[in-house]
């Protein structure tokens, strides 16, 4: 079944244009890239981390095709930070275990997957840090998952949007989440 989904994914992706295709729990999920607000928040993340990334020889991407080693299950986080020479599968996909951090921005169509499934998926894929920007929660929050151990995150910290959030190693950065409240 998984091979058939991967084959369908490989066939569809070049033809989809500006759609996101991911395989989550054996489901092929094809969805629009997100609302303008979602895209704006991804750009704000990239802008906030760009100086740090340049200083350390990393790259930031508001959206990048990544895949889990072994399964090659594809994902497209809203934000990715990775070394410029992160290991790839072919020319398109970067392996998750070569990333520094991923970020997901919760939207109405992705809320359950982003909140409940993606932390486990990215931890299982070896991503040291995951950031979850949740403008839909009441109040809006930003959560960081870290402490990667045995394929799961052992630590998390949340703040209400507008407050500062420490992003732990290997990033070690203070993110002022007020950036998500600006118009």
């Amino acid at each position: 079944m998984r091979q058939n989904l991967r084959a369908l994914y490989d066939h569809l992706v070049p033809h989809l244009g500006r759609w996101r295709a991911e395989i989550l729990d054996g489901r092929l999920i094809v969805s629009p890239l997100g609302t303008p607000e979602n895209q704006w928040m991804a750009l704000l993340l990239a802008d906030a981390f760009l100086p740090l990334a340049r200083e350390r020889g990393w790259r930031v991407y508001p959206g990048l095709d990544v895949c889990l080693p072994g399964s090659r299950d594809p994902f497209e986080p809203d934000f990715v930070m990775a070394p410029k020479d992160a290991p790839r599968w072919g020319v398109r996909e970067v392996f998750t275990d070569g990333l520094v951090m991923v970020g997901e921005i919760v939207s109405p169509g992705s809320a359950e997957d982003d909140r409940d499934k993606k932390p486990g998926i990215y931890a299982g894929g070896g991503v040291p840090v995951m950031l979850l920007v949740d403008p839909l929660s009441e109040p809006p929050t930003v959560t960081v998952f870290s402490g990667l151990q045995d394929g799961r995150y052992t630590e998390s910290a949340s703040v209400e949007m507008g407050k500062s959030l420490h992003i732990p190693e290997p990033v070690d950065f203070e993110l002022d989440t007020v950036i998500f409240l600006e118009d």
Side-chain angles (χ1 to χ4, degrees), residues 158-169:
S158 291
V159 297
E160 189 174 323
M161 271 188 202
K163 299 192 189 275
S164 184
L165 177 64
H166 180 74
I167 311 301
E169 291 289 340

Side-chain angles (χ1 to χ4, degrees), residues 15 21 38 42 76 103 139 143 146 159 174 177:
H15 306 289
N38 182 287
E76 188 177 340
T143 303
S146 62
V159 297
E174 210 60 39
T177 68

Side-chain angles (χ1 to χ4, degrees), residues 12-26:
L12 287 176
V13 167
H15 306 289
L16 286 177
R18 304 237 345 124
W19 289 76
R20 173 187 320 247
E22 302 176 300
I23 297 176
L24 293 171
D25 293 334

